[in-house]
Amino acid sequence: MPSLLLVVFILQILIHLVNTVGAQAINDLVTSVFYSPSPYPHAPGKLLTGVATCAQQLWTLYNKLPTSTRDSVLESNKLRDKVLLLKRELMATSSQDEFAKWAKLRRQHDKAVAQYEEKANSLKSFQSSFTQATTVLRWLGTNGLRFMLQFWFARRPMFWIPRGWLPGYVEFLMAFPRAPRGSVSIQIWGIACATVVQMVGAAVAAGWILVREKKVTGKAKMGMQADSRAARGEKKEFLKTLLFTLGPLLLPKLIGYYRAYRAKARSEPVPVRPLPPYVFTALNILSVSCLFALISTLPNFAPENIFQVTSSRLQTPNDVLFTRLSYLRPDNKLTQVDELLKPRIASIDARCLYLYYGPSIVAYCPFCLSDEPMSYFWYAVPMILFPHMLHLVALGAATSSAIGGKEGNRWRTSAVMLGVGLAVSECYVTGASDFKANARVVRAEDLNHFHWNMRIWRGIGIAVADATLAGFLWASSTNRLFVVPPTAAERMETATRVLENARGRMAALGIIRNVVLRDEGLRRKTEGYWRKEGQVMSEVMDEREVVEGMRSALGSGRVNISQVEEDARRFADGLVISPSGVQQQPL
């Protein structure tokens, strides 16, 4: 007997195929082989023989079986061939030169069409019944079977989850609705299988489209843009499906790690402390870096985009573009940069490079050519890396031992990796993206101003990185999160320091007591204090209320004298300990 896990998985694959191809498409695939509209405007329908290869094979297989419509279909096919033959002869005969022959063929053709229509009409009822039966069988074979399995095996666990892997509420969801707690129900297993099948199907479809795109060049590639957009949409759906699939699995793990961290923090408690002054300086450096990064995203600090200020399309003639630009300049004269740009952005590719790398790269690059777009990239790399280098300087200063201390130096490696990762990511995106994407854009508002958009994303990325690092640094330096427990050597050093302090206090107390006992005046004051203390306590103990309270406590059993004596003995034994750790016996 096949495994229920495998049966559910195969069933989900079948349902996915049905949903991908479409239920109506499957019905048409089966039923259209029996009936389809006639090519003749006066005929209601005809049988198919060559619409689709799969339909032809299914129709041939069906007609080989001893079915009730086999003879009618064969007769209809013969009538169809006769109609086509007469139609061909009728079209080849002139109605003026050979009118008698043409009229005879016309009568034969009309008679054959009438017989064909009668035969086709007789198959309509069968086609309707067959369509309904196909729909019912398709539903019963897919969703109906799925519902039956989920109802019949609702209490059966698909497999068991190891104890402690997931939180309690996740185990409840995994066993929903009626499976045993700690197991995975058939409903949840079916959802997981459907998600994986959909994810793999989307990946295969996207990969197939990408392979087809690589094989297409020139005009054919232009015609594949719709498929490219569909592939991007499928990629987004793939990522969304991946998130919804892995999210329920990764989220409990993260919660478990957090709980383990909290349990470790409770087992080795470290008190929260104020923010150290040197960490405050490091946080100020990160705050200033974050502020400058956000300010750099403002439009006032961005280079001028001549296509945006003139509201021009990429296909606008060069003279018209710079004439519009001259009206915006003082005294209607182009600037030096405008004069440099005018001959360099005459072609569509050059204008795409302008929107991709910005005006300074296109205007001042001495060796760049629009036929070699990578030359612009290599010239732009130093300018791309410059803000990231300044960011790395700020990160290095904030996490250095001289400014951030031990707490800041702890995050130095992570900060450097974060800064380098941002720089490498921007270089990769700039080098891997298609700069010719704007060549197909017709409207000015649809242009992708890549250089200006990248400046905004760069500032936001640096600001988010600085804010995240500042938060981690603040939490770790105040012992709120990411607490590193002290090592055994550090704990021993702390304990030794505390013991030495206590020993010094005990020695000082012994010296004071020795002085008190040796001095006659101090000794008399001490004796007088204790003599008066004894008198006061004796008077208090002789009062009636105190005596009645003591009798009530001892008589009711609220005070256990033996337990009090035992606690006092243990306390005294704990105070008197020999250097070897063995308690001294009482004298």
Side-chain angles (χ1 to χ4, degrees):
M1 181 178 180
S3 172
L4 185 59
L5 293 171
L6 184 60
V7 170
V8 174
F9 182 72
I10 296 176
L11 181 61
Q12 291 296 340
I13 294 177
L14 179 62
I15 294 175
H16 177 74
L17 292 177
V18 171
N19 294 333
T20 303
V21 177
Q24 186 63 35
I26 292 179
N27 290 341
D28 295 341
L29 177 66
V30 178
T31 59
S32 62
V33 297
F34 295 95
Y35 177 82
S36 74
S38 173
Y40 304 106
H42 54 274
K46 78 176 188 68
L47 295 180
L48 287 177
T49 56
V51 176
T53 304
C54 183
Q56 291 175 357
Q57 295 177 355
L58 184 61
W59 176 242
T60 303
L61 178 63
Y62 185 81
N63 287 334
K64 289 182 179 179
L65 300 176
T67 58
S68 59
T69 59
R70 178 181 179 180
D71 296 337
S72 299
V73 169
L74 293 176
E75 185 178 355
S76 180
N77 289 339
K78 292 179 180 179
L79 290 174
R80 179 207 59 201
D81 296 338
K82 183 178 179 181
V83 168
L84 293 176
L85 180 61
L86 291 174
K87 181 71 174 179
R88 191 179 299 111
E89 293 181 0
L90 185 64
M91 295 295 293
T93 304
S94 175
S95 59
Q96 297 179 355
D97 299 336
E98 301 176 294
F99 179 77
K101 182 179 180 182
W102 180 86
K104 181 178 179 181
L105 292 174
R106 179 71 180 183
R107 289 192 298 270
Q108 293 178 355
H109 176 267
D110 293 342
K111 181 179 179 180
V113 168
Q115 293 176 353
Y116 178 78
E117 290 177 358
E118 181 181 359
K119 185 61 65 176
N121 290 330
S122 66
L123 293 175
K124 278 187 177 180
S125 60
F126 175 78
Q127 180 257 340
S128 178
S129 301
F130 191 82
T131 301
Q132 184 177 3
T134 303
T135 303
V136 173
L137 290 176
R138 176 186 54 80
W139 189 90
L140 291 177
T142 55
N143 292 311
L145 181 59
R146 176 169 63 88
F147 291 146
M148 186 191 70
L149 291 176
Q150 291 180 354
F151 175 77
W152 190 263
F153 297 100
R155 297 182 181 274
R156 179 175 175 179
M158 295 293 98
F159 57 88
W160 294 89
I161 303 173
R163 185 181 299 273
W165 273 29
L166 301 176
Y169 67 93
V170 179
E171 290 184 350
F172 171 77
L173 294 177
M174 289 296 180
F176 185 82
R178 293 187 295 171
R181 187 71 173 268
S183 64
V184 176
S185 65
I186 188 173
Q187 285 82 1
I188 301 300
W189 173 247
I191 293 173
C193 292
T195 305
V196 172
V197 170
Q198 182 181 1
M199 182 172 57
V200 174
V204 171
W208 171 250
I209 293 176
L210 290 176
V211 170
R212 290 180 59 189
E213 282 186 347
K214 291 181 179 179
K215 295 181 179 180
V216 178
T217 57
K219 295 183 179 180
K221 186 174 182 179
M222 297 289 292
M224 293 291 292
Q225 294 304 316
D227 293 340
S228 178
R229 288 191 293 269
R232 287 193 292 268
E234 291 178 353
K235 291 178 184 177
K236 292 181 181 179
E237 292 295 331
F238 170 76
L239 294 177
K240 187 185 298 184
T241 305
L242 184 64
L243 179 62
F244 282 108
T245 302
L246 299 181
L249 300 178
L250 296 180
L251 183 60
K253 289 290 184 181
L254 296 177
I255 295 175
Y257 291 149
Y258 174 75
R259 290 179 176 176
Y261 170 77
R262 297 296 297 176
K264 184 178 180 181
R266 294 189 186 99
S267 62
E268 299 177 357
V270 179
V272 177
R273 63 176 182 177
L275 186 68
Y278 46 85
V279 177
F280 184 76
T281 305
L283 294 181
N284 286 336
I285 294 175
L286 293 175
S287 300
V288 171
S289 175
C290 179
L291 181 61
F292 275 104
L294 292 177
I295 291 176
S296 67
T297 62
L298 297 177
N300 298 332
F301 299 95
E304 185 184 45
N305 187 347
I306 61 176
F307 291 96
Q308 199 167 19
V309 297
T310 59
S311 300
S312 300
R313 300 182 301 113
L314 209 64
Q315 294 80 11
T316 302
N318 212 33
D319 295 337
V320 176
L321 175 63
F322 282 91
T323 301
R324 295 176 181 176
L325 185 61
S326 64
Y327 293 149
L328 303 176
R329 301 299 188 215
D331 300 330
N332 295 334
K333 293 182 179 180
L334 297 176
T335 62
Q336 182 180 1
V337 178
D338 298 337
E339 295 293 344
L340 291 174
L341 284 175
K342 187 173 181 179
R344 297 195 177 201
I345 59 172
S347 63
I348 295 295
D349 290 347
R351 295 184 177 188
C352 291
L353 291 169
Y354 173 86
L355 295 177
Y356 198 79
Y357 292 104
S360 60
I361 302 297
V362 178
Y364 295 110
C365 181
F367 58 86
C368 298
L369 298 174
S370 58
D371 296 336
E372 299 179 359
M374 288 304 296
S375 59
Y376 288 92
F377 172 74
W378 295 119
Y379 185 79
V381 165
M383 298 184 183
I384 294 174
L385 295 180
F386 179 71
H388 294 284
M389 296 299 294
L390 296 179
H391 182 223
L392 283 173
V393 170
L395 294 179
T399 57
S400 62
S401 301
I403 297 178
K406 181 176 64 176
E407 288 78 7
N409 193 34
R410 173 186 173 188
W411 297 98
R412 191 173 184 83
T413 303
S414 301
V416 172
M417 292 178 62
L418 181 61
V420 173
L422 289 175
V424 173
S425 299
E426 183 175 355
C427 290
Y428 174 76
V429 172
T430 305
S433 300
D434 183 16
F435 75 96
K436 291 186 178 180
N438 288 317
R440 296 177 291 272
V441 177
V442 178
R443 299 188 302 174
E445 56 270 18
D446 295 336
L447 290 174
N448 179 19
H449 307 279
F450 182 85
H451 175 71
W452 289 264
N453 295 336
M454 187 58 67
R455 290 183 74 261
I456 296 176
W457 285 113
R458 179 199 304 148
I460 294 175
I462 292 176
V464 170
D466 291 339
T468 304
L469 181 61
F472 287 168
L473 183 57
W474 173 81
S476 62
S477 61
T478 56
N479 292 336
R480 286 179 169 84
L481 286 175
F482 311 108
V483 179
V484 178
T487 61
E490 293 176 346
R491 292 198 299 268
M492 184 176 295
E493 182 181 359
T494 303
T496 303
R497 190 182 304 111
V498 172
L499 290 176
E500 289 179 353
N501 190 13
R503 180 176 175 276
R505 292 177 180 271
M506 292 292 293
L509 182 61
I511 293 173
I512 294 173
R513 182 173 177 78
N514 191 18
V515 171
V516 170
L517 293 177
R518 289 179 181 273
D519 186 84
E520 184 177 355
L522 294 176
R523 186 170 64 251
R524 287 177 182 177
K525 289 182 179 181
T526 304
E527 292 175 355
Y529 169 79
W530 287 112
R531 192 181 303 113
K532 187 177 180 179
E533 178 72 15
Q535 293 174 1
V536 172
M537 291 302 298
S538 62
E539 293 175 0
V540 171
M541 296 299 294
D542 291 341
E543 292 182 1
R544 182 176 179 180
E545 292 82 358
V546 176
V547 174
E548 289 179 356
M550 293 179 62
R551 288 178 179 176
S552 176
L554 295 174
S556 62
R558 289 181 297 174
V559 178
N560 191 351
I561 299 299
S562 60
Q563 183 66 33
V564 172
E565 292 178 350
E566 180 66 21
D567 293 341
R569 187 186 66 82
R570 291 179 179 177
F571 179 75
D573 292 342
L575 290 178
V576 185
I577 302 177
S578 63
S580 60
V582 182
Q583 294 183 356
Q584 295 181 353
Q585 296 296 330
L587 299 175

